Amino acid sequence: MLVLTAMAGNTGWHNLIPFNSRYAPHLPNYSMSAGGRTFPSAAGFHVSNLFFTDDSGTYFFETKHAPQLVQPTSLKDLPIETIMSAHRDRVRQLSDRRLKLPPQDPHVEGHNQWVANCPGSLFVIPVADLAEHNIANLCYYLQNGYMLYDDIHQNDIPGLEQFHDLVDPNRVIPLSFLEQYTLLEANAELVSACYAGALMLQAMGLGGWMYNGVNPYSVLGASGDPAVPGLGFDYQVEEHWTLPNVLGLQGVFEGHCPPYYPSMHEAVLAVVDRKFGLNGPFHEKTPGPWKDSGRVRRSAQIHSERFIACISRQAQYIYDQFGKFPGTVPTMLAFMYLQAHHLDLNFYDQYYGPGAYLNTHANHMKDWHSE
């Protein structure tokens, strides 16, 4: 729980984005999370969650939608046991077995086959919903005066001319740029979470490392090998695609696109509801860190029906044109992982010089496993 909470734990309330002259006198409204977490997220979108596996099974650790889990009055009033208990309640067991990842190609790269996801280890898998992030980016750019242009097919998006009251038609953002931006921004969540976890490993005196030498399609469940079901995510394949597109895990972590939503309009409405609905960052009844949190939260401008219609038209165009959403990057992204295990200190003592490991490693068994 210490490692997991370091990676993606709730840190209290998200303080939101305080200023943008284009939004004045309103509070900028592009964040999607009311709660803060241990890693940075572009504009407070927060589109990732953790899966993890160990000898006891496979689990889902959901903190994306967590409110402030512990109410502090001072730092002294935050015992670690209270924080761990609150986060332990966010864990959901998916299986009583360790995730099956055969130590061979194409599932695990050669240099990791001897150790990746080995018995006795903790293997943590951050996963991001790029579909949700892409919708949030469409909202962000429209709010800042840009509409989409399909530079892949050299097409204007049909029907956007009716929304010229919302945006200057000469201000366009290329679809390929938008989706690469989505990929990079969401991946920053995954990488930062793993780095925070790696720092916790060192503090606790555990071995392990962050790495990407495991096939994400094997991890998520889209390897095509029925003997390697991975996490069991749904995925789609098309003849003209070189790789499958992972969509989500039904009832657990679903991408913001069909088949989990009837159309992209409904997926957009889900994002809008996350922002402005009850428990969202811009709902006046959502608690917060301010002395008058209701006043702060309701000062953000709610997306109008025309705004939502413009976003929906762009999102639906992408889905119809490419057969998936986003069109040029995956719907679900797994890229970086964190592993934790005990070190064999005798190995380092025999083959390495002084300083090969930290004092926390030297004292780990005494400090953590005195029995």
Side-chain angles (χ1 to χ4, degrees), residues 193-217:
C194 288
Y195 184 65
L199 294 178
M200 180 58 80
L201 299 186
Q202 296 174 45
M204 296 176 65
L206 286 169
W209 80 116
M210 55 183 287
Y211 65 115
N212 69 335
V214 179
N215 187 334
Y217 296 98

Side-chain angles (χ1 to χ4, degrees), residues 67-88:
Q68 179 172 261
L69 295 180
V70 179
Q71 177 63 49
T73 55
S74 71
L75 291 178
K76 294 181 180 179
D77 293 332
L78 280 177
I80 194 67
E81 294 84 0
T82 302
I83 298 173
M84 292 300 99
S85 177
H87 283 83
R88 190 174 289 110

Side-chain angles (χ1 to χ4, degrees), residues 134 137-139 141-142 145-152 154-161 164 167-180 182 310-319 321-322 325-328:
N134 213 42
N137 262 337
L138 284 171
C139 294
Y141 280 106
L142 180 60
Y146 292 90
M147 63 172 55
L148 197 64
Y149 172 75
D150 182 0
D151 59 315
I152 305 297
Q154 300 295 304
N155 287 339
D156 292 324
I157 312 299
L160 289 188
E161 63 277 357
H164 287 173
V167 64
D168 182 344
N170 295 316
R171 300 186 73 183
V172 297
I173 183 168
L175 183 150
S176 63
F177 174 84
L178 173 83
E179 297 194 346
Q180 287 296 316
T182 287
C310 185
I311 296 298
S312 298
R313 183 172 291 273
Q314 295 177 83
Q316 190 66 46
Y317 170 87
I318 295 172
Y319 183 80
Q321 186 76 313
F322 292 88
F325 186 87
T328 62

